[in-house]
Amino acid sequence: MNWILLFIAGLFEVMFAFCLGKAKETIGNEALLWYFGFFVSLLISMALLIKVTESLPIGTSYAVWTGIGAVGTVLIGIFFFREPIEFWRMFFLSTLVLSVVGLKFVSH
């Protein structure tokens, strides 16, 4: 169950990065709504990370959380913010995914 919560926490990390990106593209009340979404996503992500670290090692939890966030944010950038898809970028992104999966398998 803790690994599922950790995955969800990582998804909320991706969500707060997405909201931050959208807030930069807008102005006025729309930007404030995106900043509100950023803040709420940040709180949920952090609360779940705190909960998970009660049972899983902090180093593993944090590495997996940031890994999910990094991979998800790169994909959000590609699909929503028109960031470039380059070979080396995808290569290192795939090594990050393999590292996160590896941490899951070697953690008790």
Side-chain angles (χ1 to χ4, degrees):
M1 181 64 172
N2 286 310
W3 285 99
I4 294 169
L5 290 178
L6 184 57
F7 181 75
I8 294 168
L11 292 179
F12 274 101
E13 184 184 9
V14 174
M15 181 57 96
F16 75 68
F18 176 72
C19 288
L20 188 59
K22 292 298 282 183
K24 288 174 41 178
E25 293 182 346
T26 59
I27 59 172
N29 288 337
E30 187 177 354
L32 289 177
L33 286 173
W34 285 112
Y35 282 122
F36 179 75
F38 163 80
F39 183 70
V40 170
S41 298
L42 177 68
L43 287 176
I44 293 170
S45 182
M46 291 295 166
L48 289 172
L49 181 62
I50 290 167
K51 172 75 175 137
V52 165
T53 58
E54 293 172 358
S55 300
L56 297 175
I58 185 73
T60 301
S61 300
Y62 186 75
V64 170
W65 178 76
T66 57
I68 293 167
V71 170
T73 302
V74 168
L75 294 175
I76 289 292
I78 290 169
F79 292 114
F80 291 96
F81 299 110
R82 298 183 190 101
E83 293 179 2
I85 301 173
E86 299 167 347
F87 172 78
W88 288 112
R89 192 173 191 202
M90 294 298 106
F91 173 78
F92 288 116
L93 191 63
S94 65
T95 63
L96 182 57
V97 170
L98 290 173
S99 296
V100 168
V101 171
L103 281 173
K104 163 69 171 100
F105 284 115
V106 299
S107 296
H108 301 291

